[in-house]
């Protein structure tokens, strides 16, 4: 699993026409940038992402994700950019979670 890649800082798999559901695997704590944008991923946003406590950039835009935003997203306290636009995300924005993300400077949710 990816969690075993303890020195991984950046994982960019964008623009590859990758498809299917994202597995709910734990991410390495060292991960700072995860870019899975511009693919055809479906299903829920994996809650295992929140284990990457050093994550600064999370780009999941332009997929076909069909879930709500995980309530424990607030665990990503270092997150600066969160792009969830151009998916099929539904439900309410977990305001109490987002409000705890003091480093967040960019939040894209349009076209869902």
């Amino acid at each position: 699993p990816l969690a075993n890649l303890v020195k991984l800082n950046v994982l960019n798999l964008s623009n590859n026409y990758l498809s299917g559901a994202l597995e709910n695997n734990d991410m390495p704590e060292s991960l700072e940038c995860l870019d899975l944008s511009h693919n055809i991923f479906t299903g829920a946003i994996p809650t295992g992402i929140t284990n990457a406590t050093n994550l600064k950039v999370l780009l999941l835009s332009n997929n076909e994700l069909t879930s709500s935003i995980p309530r424990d997203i607030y665990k990503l306290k270092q997150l600066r950019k969160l792009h969830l636009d151009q998916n099929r995300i539904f439900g309410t924005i977990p305001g109490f979670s987002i409000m705890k993300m003091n480093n967040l400077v960019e939040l894209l949710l349009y076209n869902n």
Side-chain angles (χ1 to χ4, degrees):
L2 286 175
N4 292 340
L5 302 173
V6 295
K7 294 188 178 190
L8 184 67
N9 291 96
V10 176
L11 179 59
N12 185 339
L13 298 174
S14 64
N15 294 294
N16 280 302
Y17 297 101
L18 299 173
S19 62
L22 293 171
E23 293 187 24
N24 197 17
N25 290 326
D26 288 346
M27 296 288 168
E29 289 182 25
S30 60
L31 195 63
E32 293 182 6
C33 177
L34 178 60
D35 187 352
L36 302 178
S37 64
H38 299 273
N39 283 293
I40 315 168
F41 289 121
T42 58
I45 298 168
T47 57
I49 286 175
T50 61
N51 293 326
T53 53
N54 289 312
L55 200 62
K56 292 177 178 62
V57 177
L58 177 56
L59 308 176
L60 298 176
S61 57
N62 287 283
N63 280 290
E64 295 181 15
L65 298 174
T66 55
S67 69
S68 57
I69 300 171
R71 291 197 177 278
D72 57 353
I73 195 87
Y74 72 90
K75 292 180 181 177
L76 299 175
K77 296 191 185 298
Q78 302 300 318
L79 201 63
R80 296 183 52 76
K81 292 184 180 185
L82 176 58
H83 293 189
L84 300 174
D85 55 295
Q86 313 253 355
N87 281 289
R88 295 180 180 158
I89 294 171
F90 59 87
T92 59
I93 299 169
F96 69 93
S97 293
I98 299 293
M99 298 306 284
K100 292 181 181 179
M101 300 169 75
N102 295 330
N103 290 311
L104 194 64
V105 294
E106 200 169 290
L107 174 61
L108 301 182
L109 298 171
Y110 67 89
N111 206 15
N112 276 292

